[in-house]
Each structure stands twice: as structure tokens, then as C-alpha cells.
Amino acid sequence: MTDTAARWTEIEHLPEWDEEFYHVYTARKLGKWVMLKTLRPEYSDNPEYMRMIEQEFDVRYNLAHPNIVMINDFEDVPGVGRCIVCDDVYGTSLRKLIDTGGVTPAHVEQLRRCLPAALEYIQANHIVHHPIRPERIIFTENIGNLKLIDVGFEQRASLSRSAANDDIRAYGEVVKETLDASGIEDAPLRAVADRCLRTDRRRISDVQELQLALASRRSNRLYIIVIAFLAVMVTVLAWLLSRPLPAAH
């Protein structure tokens, strides 16, 4: 076995993770689990598509965010071909969770906290990316962390207004579909999702406004809980004070 081949073991194709132009694999590199992304055979000898995968590597290599899949290398893997090597993010897509009824409140909470943070990071770095959909949102197997895959293929000096608007609409669609399918009641989050999908002036216009809306809804909910708790305490205290004192002996 050559030194190169010895570095790679347990290579397995993951058909459900495949993308339009790519096959996706899981493998061990020097004993460490990683993910591999390589051109499908019908595109692998085409210079145009080779430039495409090289450009994606260049764009994503310097990205570093806890909710985005990190790229580590770009190299030839025996029996697979030229691959982008990513962190291991083996887990379950939001699409599969929706389709199988596996969505939990913890998943919804990560859509509230982590997905907007990832979108803000992508936009701040002016990354052109495919639409955010449940298929591109992964919850890792052991910890259940939200990770975005397939997040960018071009970096520009600035993003267009329409690209930013598309992210807001995509966020609203993902959240609405998740809540509808799971039956989880989260009125504040649903209200924010509905605003993302509006077409009038009340529509959320950018990711900063999205995060403010989410924070405001959470603060309002906490305020209501605190007020309700205080009301109960006042009622209990009033009841205690209204009770007659025990007679003196």
C-alpha cells in the first residue's frame, strides 16, 4: 500500500448527501473522520467544472464559523478523485427530520439562534451561495449542532440587495415549514417567519433586522413570563395577609 493510500481508510459514499454536481463521501484520513466532496464522474474531466470546485475551495477555505462546515484541504484521494476535504459533520439533515417527524424543540431553538448567525457571517464575507433549504442544514450526530453545508461558491466585493432578500425569505420558508411539519407551537418565532415572507413594508429587510426581531420576541416572551410570575406571587401574598391571625392563648 502506498503512503498516499495508507492515509485514507473506510471511504464510504453517502448518496443522500450528494449535490447537483458532486458526490459526497465519509472517510478516515490518518484515522480522523472527515467528509469528501468530489465532482461526479460525468463532470470530473471537464475543465469548467474543475475550475468550479477549485473556486469553491478557495472561497470557503478561510471561512471559520461554528455553524458552517469547515474546509481543511483539497487533494487527490485514491479511488475517489480530486476532493474538497471537510470536517466530519455526519448527522441528519433538517429535511430528513421534517420528513420523518423527528424535529424537536431543540432543533427549532437552533433555527432561532444559530441559523441567523451563520447567515450574518456569510453575508458579512460577501459569499454567494445556494439557497438555504432544509437539505443544506445538518444536525450533527452526537451533539446535534446545526451546521450549514454547501454554503458558498463565489466571493464578491459586496452582495446585491436581492441576494440579502433571498436569505431572509429562505429563513422564513425554512422556519415555517419546520413549525408546520413538527406541530411545535412557537408563536414568537412563527411571527418572525411570517414577517420574513411578507411583501409589504413590514417585511424584515436584512439579517440584522432579523436578529433584532428574534431578540425582541424572546424579550417580550420573557417579560410576559416574569409579569405572570409576579402576579401569582402578589396573589399568594394577598391571600396570606388576608388570613385571620390565630387566636392568642
Side-chain angles (χ1 to χ4, degrees):
M1 183 179 294
T2 66
D3 291 341
T4 301
R7 300 172 66 190
W8 295 98
T9 58
E10 301 182 57
I11 300 172
E12 180 184 353
H13 182 209
L14 303 175
E16 67 178 280
W17 287 52
D18 283 347
E19 301 169 17
E20 182 178 4
F21 302 109
Y22 302 107
H23 281 324
V24 178
Y25 295 79
T26 183
R28 284 185 185 269
K29 180 182 179 182
L30 298 174
K32 177 183 177 182
W33 284 107
V34 296
M35 306 292 286
L36 305 176
K37 181 175 179 178
T38 189
L39 287 170
R40 291 173 178 262
E42 59 266 35
Y43 304 117
S44 60
D45 293 327
N46 187 312
E48 179 182 353
Y49 290 100
M50 280 302 301
R51 286 193 295 271
M52 181 181 71
I53 192 172
E54 289 168 359
Q55 179 177 334
E56 180 170 343
F57 170 77
D58 291 339
V59 167
R60 294 179 56 190
Y61 181 69
N62 290 316
L63 297 182
H65 189 277
N67 301 115
I68 294 176
V69 175
M70 297 294 98
I71 285 180
N72 301 320
D73 212 339
F74 189 45
E75 61 180 287
D76 292 315
V77 178
V80 179
R82 192 73 167 164
C83 296
I84 291 176
V85 183
C86 309
D87 288 344
D88 175 37
V89 288
Y90 191 76
T92 306
S93 70
L94 178 58
R95 167 58 60 212
K96 186 171 184 179
L97 290 170
I98 289 173
D99 291 346
T100 60
V103 176
T104 69
H107 295 129
V108 171
E109 181 60 23
Q110 291 208 55
L111 294 180
R112 185 202 316 275
R113 293 185 299 104
C114 302
L115 186 52
L119 288 176
E120 183 177 37
Y121 180 82
I122 291 170
Q123 291 189 5
N125 284 276
H126 307 149
I127 304 298
V128 180
H129 58 88
H130 298 291
I132 301 299
R133 299 201 303 256
E135 292 82 358
R136 295 189 169 105
I137 300 171
I138 301 296
F139 293 93
T140 57
E141 185 174 42
N142 295 323
I143 304 176
N145 286 341
L146 182 149
K147 296 280 187 178
L148 279 181
I149 62 173
D150 195 22
V151 296
F153 53 87
E154 185 180 351
Q155 190 168 28
R156 298 179 179 172
S158 62
L159 288 181
S160 66
R161 184 71 177 174
S162 63
N165 287 339
D166 288 345
D167 281 345
I168 297 301
R169 173 163 291 278
Y171 179 81
E173 289 172 347
V174 166
V175 169
K176 190 173 188 301
E177 181 180 1
T178 302
L179 292 178
D180 288 346
S182 67
I184 293 173
E185 296 294 335
D186 191 324
L189 184 58
R190 183 178 289 278
V192 171
D194 288 342
R195 285 189 59 199
C196 291
L197 299 173
R198 294 181 71 99
T199 57
D200 57 19
R201 295 177 60 184
R202 293 187 58 194
R203 180 180 184 272
I204 292 175
S205 59
D206 55 47
V207 71
Q208 289 76 28
E209 185 180 356
L210 170 62
Q211 291 190 319
L212 286 174
L214 290 167
S216 175
R217 290 285 178 173
R218 174 175 286 186
S219 297
N220 288 344
R221 183 167 60 178
L222 179 61
Y223 176 77
I224 292 171
I225 292 173
V226 170
I227 292 299
F229 173 76
L230 290 176
V232 171
M233 294 304 295
V234 167
T235 301
V236 171
L237 181 61
W239 177 76
L240 290 174
L241 293 175
S242 66
R243 295 180 64 189
L245 294 175
H249 296 285

